[in-house]
Amino acid sequence: MTEKERLQEQILRTSGVNPRKCMKCGKCSGTCPSYDEMEYHPHQFVSMVESGNIAPLMESESLYRCLSCFACIDRCPRNVQPAKLVEAVRLMVIRQKGKNHLKPDQIPALLDDEMPQQLLMSVLRKHSK
């Protein structure tokens, strides 16, 4: 098994998602509130994981732009669950030694009174695994 295949299998196993169900309609990306800030959009994550093109995803800032709001999951007519693929790739990167994007002790300095609680919970979920 090649490294590319190993990464793909690990992401599919972690996420529990079958990217082959995707019919490339783009509804997931159309509903994404972070669409304009993402290098790779939800439908592209699905396509890239399906093809085994994982390395660019692991290096992308899009992993940290996803709000984990799961709007893409709600809109998908085939129940592909793109956000779960994003979460699985993010988790793989975070678990690699020294690859944490944000350390928990850095979070308080970034908070302000108008920040929604959902954002704080998303940050904690993303960066504490």
Side-chain angles (χ1 to χ4, degrees):
M1 180 180 283
T2 67
E3 179 67 12
K4 180 178 172 178
E5 292 169 335
R6 187 190 67 74
L7 290 174
Q8 182 184 33
E9 183 179 323
Q10 184 177 353
I11 290 168
L12 296 178
R13 189 175 54 246
T14 301
S15 68
V17 172
N18 179 359
R20 290 187 203 121
K21 294 187 329 185
C22 180
M23 61 185 190
K24 316 278 189 271
C25 68
K27 287 183 179 182
C28 57
S29 293
T31 194
C32 179
S34 296
Y35 181 89
D36 292 334
E37 297 180 28
M38 296 179 79
E39 177 183 4
Y40 299 112
H41 305 115
H43 74 281
Q44 292 170 310
F45 264 86
V46 173
S47 180
M48 292 171 79
V49 169
E50 181 182 8
S51 67
N53 192 13
I54 310 297
L57 295 176
M58 292 178 70
E59 297 172 6
S60 173
E61 284 295 311
S62 294
L63 289 176
Y64 307 101
R65 301 289 184 237
C66 173
L67 298 173
S68 301
C69 67
F70 302 123
C72 58
I73 291 175
D74 289 340
R75 290 282 294 159
C76 181
R78 303 287 306 268
N79 196 31
V80 175
Q81 303 177 334
K84 288 188 177 183
L85 290 173
V86 174
E87 291 278 339
V89 174
R90 181 187 303 135
L91 184 60
M92 183 185 305
V93 171
I94 289 171
R95 286 183 173 168
Q96 290 179 354
K97 187 176 181 179
K99 294 284 186 172
N100 287 334
H101 182 71
L102 184 65
K103 303 219 180 317
D105 60 344
Q106 294 173 309
I107 296 171
L110 302 173
L111 300 178
D112 65 38
D113 292 337
E114 296 181 24
M115 188 171 295
Q117 282 186 322
Q118 181 181 10
L119 176 65
L120 178 59
M121 294 310 298
S122 177
V123 167
L124 291 173
R125 219 166 91 218
K126 289 178 188 179
H127 302 291
S128 64
K129 294 179 182 178

